[in-house]
Amino acid sequence: MEKITSRHFGIPNSHLLETYRKDGGYEAARKALTTMTPAAVIEEVKKSNLRGLGGAGFPTGMKWSFIPANNPKPKYLVINGDEGEPGTFKDKYIFEQDPHSLLEGIIITCYAIGSHKCYVYIRGEYIKSINAVQAAIDEAKKANFLGKGIMGTNFDLEVVVHQGAGAYICGEETALLESLEGKKGFPRLKPPFPAVVGVFGCPTVINNVETIACVGPIIAKGAEWFAKLGSEKNGGNRLFCISGHVNKPGVYELPNGTTLRELIYDHAGGIPNGRKLKAVIPGGISAPLLTPDQIDVKMDFDSLKAIGSMAGSGGIIVMDDTTDMVWAAMVAARFFAHESCGQCSPCREGSGWVYRQVKRFYDGHAKPHDLKNLPGIINNIGGNTICAFGDATTMSIGSYVSKFRQEFEAKIKNDNFVPTA
């Protein structure tokens, strides 16, 4: 299988410009800037079926085309490198092992949308990643791949690293923009959408790290090549992060459409100690979990949506038959309650309420009416918030309750709790 975003992983000094240029690094950017129009670049990315690999899976070229050409305001590209989704750790590999592939993608994207400034927003805990990207920017500037008149053209581009402050909500694109502007990371009401009113009130494209790292290879080898690597409407490969109860956890680059069974058993080495699979989260902790009878699903956006889950960020968390699913639900609910930004009442109050209710089950304090009430509490959050955080809480925790209800019931049956006066 031909690798795209992980092709330089594991190569000595892969983060250096000298190494990156040995196999044609920055030649795709040169091709775009000197032989293609911005519209042609956008069309090529559209034909490639590249979709946003940060979670939503929106067609990338279409997103770029929403930038209004006749708007006199500056246009910006913002790279979402917050990567706060539990179970997801792919972007840090690109930052640290192949930062120049990201920078080349940035150059091409900015040229396509008419932007002369890009912000790379990286979560604050990723100190090594921040340093690696900044070092790559410095190298690229010295080589005239960034700055004024890059590569001998009249195109100027500045790339700035912005360090986040550890808030999961800032992975939501409009909350990220608020944070980038120096404000509290509260999601914005839409419309207006960022393509029209984004950072500093200007037209803005926001893309994930892995998404932009795919752009250079698409321009170098063509949209048809990339589209054929994946499944229908899901072009190319993607990086899957596999953790939990597997023999070989890690990051695997495989074509969109690879089945979950193949990922778990063929690539991640199966379940340790011969134990059985009990449940798996297919796309980061926000994704509704799947049961063993569902793992023949193709790991692309459309296939997972069709069975009631989502591809999300590609973070696969595997749980074997020793896992207490009430405990797992409690851990997920605690995360959502802690990370709610508090702007919307249903999420601010509801996520904490859900966590406390699930914890009652785990602690052995739950009563029969708690199980009756829990689905209603969960479902009152989703669809009633500004951003998708409330939906994530509803879908994620709701899937534990619906698919492993018997474990919640068992906690009630074993209840020895005696309330105090």
Side-chain angles (χ1 to χ4, degrees), residues 311-376:
S313 59
I316 300 166
I317 305 173
V318 179
M319 295 174 248
D320 71 15
D321 56 4
T322 65
T323 307
D324 181 336
M325 298 309 295
V326 178
W327 170 83
M330 182 189 70
V331 171
R334 181 176 62 199
F335 172 79
F336 290 123
H338 180 268
E339 293 294 341
S340 173
C341 75
Q343 182 175 199
C344 305
S345 297
C347 182
R348 181 183 65 245
E349 305 301 329
S351 60
W353 194 358
V354 168
Y355 166 59
R356 291 189 295 272
Q357 287 291 93
V358 176
K359 191 174 187 299
R360 279 172 61 85
F361 282 92
Y362 182 69
D363 290 342
H365 299 172
K367 301 297 183 182
H369 68 267
D370 290 319
L371 187 54
K372 182 179 179 181
N373 293 338
L374 186 55

Coordinates of all heavy atoms in Angstrom, one line a residue, residues 311-376:
A311 N -17.0 8.4 11.9 CA -15.6 8.2 11.8 C -14.8 9.2 12.6 O -13.7 8.9 13.1 CB -15.2 8.3 10.3
G312 N -15.3 10.4 12.8 CA -14.7 11.4 13.7 C -13.3 11.6 13.4 O -12.9 11.8 12.2
S313 N -12.5 11.6 14.4 CA -11.1 11.9 14.3 C -10.2 10.7 14.0 O -9.0 10.8 13.9 CB -10.6 12.5 15.6 OG -10.8 11.6 16.7
G314 N -10.8 9.5 13.8 CA -10.1 8.3 13.6 C -9.4 7.7 14.8 O -8.6 6.8 14.7
G315 N -9.9 8.0 16.0 CA -9.4 7.5 17.2 C -10.2 6.3 17.7 O -11.3 6.4 18.1
I316 N -9.6 5.1 17.5 CA -10.2 3.8 17.8 C -9.8 3.3 19.2 O -8.6 3.2 19.5 CB -9.9 2.8 16.8 CG1 -10.3 3.2 15.4 CG2 -10.5 1.4 17.1 CD1 -9.7 2.4 14.2
I317 N -10.8 3.2 20.1 CA -10.5 2.7 21.5 C -11.2 1.3 21.6 O -12.4 1.2 21.5 CB -11.0 3.7 22.5 CG1 -10.4 5.1 22.3 CG2 -10.7 3.2 23.9 CD1 -11.0 6.2 23.2
V318 N -10.4 0.3 21.9 CA -10.8 -1.1 21.9 C -11.0 -1.5 23.4 O -10.1 -1.3 24.2 CB -9.9 -2.0 21.2 CG1 -10.3 -3.5 21.3 CG2 -9.7 -1.6 19.7
M319 N -12.1 -2.2 23.7 CA -12.4 -2.7 25.0 C -12.7 -4.1 25.0 O -13.5 -4.6 24.2 CB -13.6 -1.9 25.6 CG -13.4 -0.4 25.8 SD -14.9 0.5 26.4 CE -15.2 1.5 24.9
D320 N -12.0 -4.9 25.8 CA -12.2 -6.3 25.9 C -13.3 -6.7 26.9 O -13.9 -5.8 27.5 CB -10.9 -7.1 26.1 CG -10.4 -6.9 27.6 OD1 -11.1 -6.5 28.5 OD2 -9.2 -7.3 27.8
D321 N -13.5 -8.0 27.1 CA -14.6 -8.5 27.9 C -14.4 -8.3 29.4 O -15.3 -8.7 30.2 CB -15.0 -9.9 27.5 CG -13.8 -10.9 27.7 OD1 -12.7 -10.5 28.1 OD2 -14.0 -12.1 27.3
T322 N -13.3 -7.8 29.8 CA -13.1 -7.5 31.2 C -13.6 -6.1 31.6 O -13.6 -5.7 32.7 CB -11.6 -7.6 31.6 OG1 -10.9 -6.6 30.9 CG2 -11.1 -8.9 31.3
T323 N -14.0 -5.3 30.6 CA -14.4 -3.9 30.8 C -15.7 -3.7 31.4 O -16.7 -4.3 31.0 CB -14.3 -3.1 29.4 OG1 -13.1 -3.3 28.8 CG2 -14.6 -1.6 29.7
D324 N -15.8 -3.0 32.5 CA -17.0 -2.6 33.1 C -17.6 -1.4 32.3 O -17.0 -0.3 32.3 CB -16.8 -2.2 34.6 CG -18.1 -1.8 35.3 OD1 -19.1 -1.4 34.6 OD2 -18.1 -1.9 36.5
M325 N -18.7 -1.6 31.5 CA -19.2 -0.6 30.6 C -19.8 0.6 31.4 O -19.8 1.7 30.9 CB -20.2 -1.2 29.6 CG -19.5 -2.3 28.7 SD -18.0 -1.8 27.9 CE -18.6 -0.4 26.8
V326 N -20.2 0.3 32.6 CA -20.7 1.5 33.4 C -19.6 2.4 33.8 O -19.6 3.6 33.8 CB -21.5 1.0 34.7 CG1 -22.0 2.1 35.5 CG2 -22.7 0.1 34.2
W327 N -18.5 1.7 34.2 CA -17.2 2.5 34.5 C -16.8 3.3 33.2 O -16.4 4.5 33.3 CB -16.1 1.6 34.9 CG -14.8 2.2 35.0 CD1 -14.3 3.0 36.0 CD2 -13.8 2.2 34.0 NE1 -13.0 3.4 35.8 CE2 -12.7 3.0 34.5 CE3 -13.6 1.7 32.7 CZ2 -11.5 3.2 33.8 CZ3 -12.5 1.9 32.0 CH2 -11.4 2.6 32.5
A328 N -16.8 2.6 32.1 CA -16.4 3.3 30.8 C -17.3 4.5 30.5 O -16.8 5.6 30.1 CB -16.4 2.3 29.7
A329 N -18.6 4.3 30.7 CA -19.5 5.4 30.5 C -19.3 6.5 31.5 O -19.3 7.7 31.1 CB -20.9 4.9 30.6
M330 N -19.0 6.2 32.7 CA -18.7 7.2 33.7 C -17.4 8.0 33.4 O -17.4 9.3 33.5 CB -18.5 6.6 35.1 CG -18.3 7.5 36.2 SD -17.8 6.8 37.8 CE -16.1 6.2 37.4
V331 N -16.4 7.4 32.9 CA -15.2 8.1 32.5 C -15.5 9.1 31.4 O -15.0 10.2 31.4 CB -14.1 7.1 32.2 CG1 -12.9 7.8 31.6 CG2 -13.6 6.3 33.4
A332 N -16.2 8.6 30.4 CA -16.6 9.5 29.3 C -17.4 10.6 29.7 O -17.2 11.8 29.3 CB -17.3 8.6 28.2
A333 N -18.4 10.3 30.6 CA -19.3 11.4 31.1 C -18.6 12.4 31.9 O -18.8 13.6 31.8 CB -20.4 10.8 31.9
R334 N -17.6 12.0 32.7 CA -16.8 12.9 33.5 C -16.0 13.8 32.6 O -15.9 15.0 32.9 CB -15.9 12.1 34.4 CG -15.0 12.9 35.3 CD -14.2 12.0 36.2 NE -13.3 11.1 35.5 CZ -12.7 10.0 36.0 NH1 -13.0 9.6 37.2 NH2 -11.9 9.3 35.2
F335 N -15.5 13.3 31.5 CA -14.7 14.1 30.6 C -15.6 15.2 30.0 O -15.2 16.4 29.9 CB -14.1 13.2 29.4 CG -13.5 14.0 28.3 CD1 -12.2 14.5 28.5 CD2 -14.2 14.2 27.1 CE1 -11.7 15.3 27.5 CE2 -13.6 15.0 26.1 CZ -12.4 15.5 26.3
F336 N -16.8 14.8 29.5 CA -17.7 15.8 28.9 C -18.1 16.8 29.9 O -18.2 18.0 29.6 CB -18.9 15.1 28.3 CG -18.6 14.3 27.0 CD1 -18.9 12.9 27.0 CD2 -18.0 14.9 25.9 CE1 -18.6 12.2 25.9 CE2 -17.7 14.1 24.8 CZ -18.0 12.8 24.8
A337 N -18.4 16.4 31.1 CA -18.8 17.4 32.2 C -17.7 18.4 32.5 O -18.0 19.6 32.6 CB -19.2 16.6 33.4
H338 N -16.5 17.9 32.5 CA -15.3 18.7 32.8 C -15.0 19.7 31.7 O -14.7 20.8 31.9 CB -14.1 17.9 33.1 CG -12.9 18.6 33.4 ND1 -12.0 19.0 32.5 CD2 -12.4 19.1 34.6 CE1 -11.0 19.7 33.0 NE2 -11.2 19.8 34.3
E339 N -15.2 19.3 30.4 CA -14.8 20.1 29.3 C -15.9 20.9 28.7 O -15.6 21.7 27.8 CB -14.3 19.1 28.2 CG -12.9 18.5 28.6 CD -11.8 19.4 28.8 OE1 -11.9 20.6 28.3 OE2 -10.8 19.0 29.4
S340 N -17.1 20.9 29.2 CA -18.2 21.8 28.7 C -17.8 23.2 29.0 O -17.3 23.5 30.1 CB -19.5 21.5 29.4 OG -20.5 22.4 29.1
C341 N -17.9 24.0 27.9 CA -17.5 25.4 28.1 C -18.4 26.2 29.0 O -18.1 27.3 29.5 CB -17.3 26.1 26.7 SG -18.9 26.5 25.9
G342 N -19.7 25.7 29.1 CA -20.6 26.4 30.0 C -21.5 27.4 29.3 O -22.3 28.1 30.0
Q343 N -21.3 27.6 28.0 CA -22.1 28.7 27.4 C -23.6 28.4 27.3 O -24.4 29.2 27.5 CB -21.5 29.0 26.0 CG -22.2 30.1 25.2 CD -21.6 30.5 23.9 OE1 -21.8 31.5 23.4 NE2 -20.8 29.6 23.4
C344 N -23.9 27.1 27.0 CA -25.3 26.7 26.8 C -25.8 25.9 28.0 O -25.1 25.0 28.4 CB -25.4 25.8 25.5 SG -24.7 26.5 24.0
S345 N -26.9 26.3 28.5 CA -27.5 25.7 29.7 C -27.7 24.2 29.6 O -27.3 23.4 30.5 CB -28.8 26.4 30.1 OG -28.5 27.7 30.5
P346 N -28.2 23.7 28.5 CA -28.5 22.2 28.4 C -27.2 21.4 28.6 O -27.2 20.4 29.2 CB -29.1 22.0 27.0 CG -29.7 23.4 26.7 CD -28.8 24.4 27.3
C347 N -26.1 21.9 28.0 CA -24.8 21.2 28.1 C -24.1 21.5 29.4 O -23.6 20.6 30.1 CB -23.9 21.7 26.9 SG -22.3 20.9 26.9
R348 N -24.1 22.8 29.9 CA -23.5 23.1 31.1 C -24.1 22.3 32.3 O -23.4 21.7 33.1 CB -23.6 24.6 31.4 CG -23.0 25.1 32.7 CD -23.2 26.6 32.9 NE -24.6 26.9 33.2 CZ -25.4 27.6 32.4 NH1 -24.8 28.1 31.3 NH2 -26.6 27.9 32.6
E349 N -25.4 22.3 32.4 CA -26.1 21.6 33.5 C -26.2 20.1 33.2 O -26.1 19.3 34.0 CB -27.5 22.2 33.7 CG -27.4 23.7 34.0 CD -26.6 24.1 35.2 OE1 -26.5 23.3 36.1 OE2 -26.0 25.2 35.2
G350 N -26.6 19.8 31.9 CA -26.9 18.4 31.6 C -25.7 17.5 31.6 O -25.9 16.4 32.1
S351 N -24.5 18.0 31.1 CA -23.4 17.1 31.1 C -23.0 16.7 32.5 O -22.6 15.6 32.8 CB -22.2 17.7 30.4 OG -21.8 19.0 31.0
G352 N -23.0 17.7 33.5 CA -22.7 17.4 34.9 C -23.8 16.4 35.5 O -23.4 15.5 36.3
W353 N -25.0 16.6 35.1 CA -26.1 15.8 35.6 C -25.9 14.4 35.1 O -26.1 13.4 35.9 CB -27.4 16.4 35.2 CG -28.6 15.9 35.9 CD1 -28.7 14.9 36.8 CD2 -30.0 16.3 35.6 NE1 -30.0 14.7 37.2 CE2 -30.8 15.5 36.5 CE3 -30.6 17.2 34.8 CZ2 -32.2 15.7 36.5 CZ3 -32.0 17.3 34.8 CH2 -32.8 16.6 35.7
V354 N -25.6 14.2 33.9 CA -25.4 12.9 33.3 C -24.2 12.2 34.0 O -24.3 11.0 34.4 CB -25.1 13.0 31.8 CG1 -24.6 11.6 31.3 CG2 -26.3 13.4 31.0
Y355 N -23.1 12.9 34.3 CA -22.0 12.3 35.0 C -22.4 11.8 36.4 O -22.1 10.7 36.8 CB -20.8 13.3 35.0 CG -19.8 12.9 36.0 CD1 -19.1 11.7 35.9 CD2 -19.5 13.7 37.1 CE1 -18.1 11.3 36.8 CE2 -18.5 13.3 38.0 CZ -17.8 12.1 37.9 OH -16.9 11.7 38.8
R356 N -23.1 12.7 37.1 CA -23.5 12.3 38.4 C -24.4 11.1 38.5 O -24.3 10.3 39.4 CB -24.1 13.5 39.2 CG -23.1 14.7 39.4 CD -23.7 15.7 40.3 NE -24.9 16.4 39.7 CZ -24.7 17.5 38.9 NH1 -23.5 18.0 38.7 NH2 -25.8 18.1 38.4
Q357 N -25.3 11.1 37.5 CA -26.2 9.9 37.4 C -25.5 8.6 37.1 O -25.7 7.6 37.7 CB -27.3 10.2 36.3 CG -28.3 11.2 36.7 CD -29.2 10.7 37.8 OE1 -29.0 10.9 39.0 NE2 -30.3 10.0 37.4
V358 N -24.6 8.7 36.1 CA -23.8 7.5 35.8 C -22.9 7.0 36.9 O -22.8 5.8 37.2 CB -23.0 7.7 34.5 CG1 -22.2 6.4 34.2 CG2 -23.9 8.0 33.3
K359 N -22.4 8.0 37.6 CA -21.5 7.7 38.8 C -22.3 7.0 39.9 O -21.8 6.2 40.6 CB -20.8 9.0 39.3 CG -19.8 8.7 40.3 CD -19.0 10.0 40.7 CE -17.8 9.7 41.6 NZ -18.2 9.0 42.9
R360 N -23.6 7.4 40.0 CA -24.5 6.7 41.0 C -24.6 5.2 40.7 O -24.5 4.4 41.6 CB -25.9 7.4 41.0 CG -26.0 8.6 41.8 CD -27.3 9.3 41.6 NE -28.4 8.5 42.0 CZ -28.9 8.4 43.3 NH1 -28.3 9.1 44.2 NH2 -29.9 7.6 43.6
F361 N -24.7 4.9 39.4 CA -24.7 3.5 39.0 C -23.4 2.8 39.4 O -23.4 1.7 40.0 CB -25.0 3.4 37.5 CG -26.4 3.6 37.2 CD1 -26.9 4.8 36.8 CD2 -27.3 2.5 37.2 CE1 -28.2 5.0 36.4 CE2 -28.6 2.6 36.8 CZ -29.1 3.9 36.5
Y362 N -22.3 3.4 39.0 CA -21.0 2.8 39.2 C -20.7 2.6 40.7 O -20.2 1.6 41.2 CB -19.9 3.6 38.6 CG -18.5 3.0 38.8 CD1 -18.2 1.8 38.1 CD2 -17.6 3.6 39.7 CE1 -16.9 1.2 38.3 CE2 -16.3 3.0 39.8 CZ -16.0 1.8 39.2 OH -14.8 1.2 39.4
D363 N -21.1 3.6 41.5 CA -20.9 3.5 43.0 C -21.9 2.6 43.7 O -21.7 2.3 44.9 CB -21.0 4.9 43.6 CG -19.8 5.8 43.2 OD1 -18.8 5.3 42.8 OD2 -20.0 7.1 43.3
G364 N -22.9 2.1 43.0 CA -23.9 1.2 43.6 C -25.0 1.9 44.3 O -25.6 1.3 45.2
H365 N -25.2 3.2 44.0 CA -26.2 4.0 44.7 C -27.5 4.2 43.9 O -28.4 4.9 44.3 CB -25.6 5.3 45.1 CG -24.5 5.3 46.0 ND1 -23.7 6.4 46.3 CD2 -23.9 4.2 46.6 CE1 -22.7 6.0 47.1 NE2 -22.8 4.7 47.3
A366 N -27.5 3.6 42.7 CA -28.7 3.9 41.8 C -29.9 3.1 42.2 O -29.9 2.1 42.8 CB -28.3 3.6 40.3
K367 N -31.1 3.7 41.8 CA -32.4 3.2 42.1 C -33.0 2.9 40.7 O -32.6 3.5 39.7 CB -33.3 4.1 42.9 CG -32.7 4.4 44.3 CD -32.6 3.2 45.1 CE -32.0 3.6 46.5 NZ -31.9 2.4 47.4
P368 N -34.1 2.1 40.6 CA -34.7 1.8 39.3 C -35.1 3.0 38.6 O -35.0 3.0 37.3 CB -35.9 0.9 39.8 CG -35.4 0.2 41.0 CD -34.6 1.2 41.7
H369 N -35.6 4.0 39.3 CA -36.1 5.2 38.6 C -34.9 6.0 37.9 O -35.1 6.7 36.9 CB -36.9 6.2 39.5 CG -36.0 6.8 40.6 ND1 -35.8 6.3 41.8 CD2 -35.2 8.0 40.5 CE1 -35.0 7.1 42.5 NE2 -34.7 8.1 41.8
D370 N -33.7 5.8 38.4 CA -32.5 6.4 37.8 C -32.3 5.9 36.4 O -32.0 6.7 35.4 CB -31.3 6.2 38.6 CG -31.3 6.9 39.9 OD1 -31.7 8.1 40.0 OD2 -30.9 6.3 41.0
L371 N -32.5 4.6 36.2 CA -32.3 4.1 34.8 C -33.4 4.5 33.9 O -33.3 4.7 32.7 CB -32.3 2.5 34.9 CG -31.9 1.8 33.6 CD1 -30.6 2.3 33.0 CD2 -31.8 0.3 33.8
K372 N -34.6 4.7 34.5 CA -35.7 5.2 33.7 C -35.5 6.6 33.2 O -35.9 7.0 32.1 CB -37.0 5.0 34.5 CG -38.3 5.5 33.7 CD -39.5 5.3 34.6 CE -40.8 5.7 33.9 NZ -42.0 5.6 34.7
N373 N -34.9 7.4 34.1 CA -34.8 8.8 33.8 C -33.5 9.1 33.0 O -33.5 10.1 32.3 CB -34.6 9.6 35.1 CG -35.9 9.6 35.9 OD1 -37.0 9.4 35.4 ND2 -35.8 9.9 37.2
L374 N -32.5 8.3 33.1 CA -31.2 8.6 32.4 C -31.3 8.9 30.9 O -30.7 9.9 30.5 CB -30.2 7.5 32.7 CG -28.8 7.7 32.3 CD1 -28.2 9.0 32.8 CD2 -27.9 6.5 32.7
P375 N -32.0 8.0 30.1 CA -32.0 8.3 28.7 C -32.7 9.7 28.4 O -32.2 10.4 27.5 CB -32.9 7.2 28.1 CG -32.7 6.1 29.1 CD -32.6 6.7 30.4
G376 N -33.7 10.1 29.1 CA -34.3 11.4 28.9 C -33.4 12.5 29.2 O -33.4 13.5 28.5

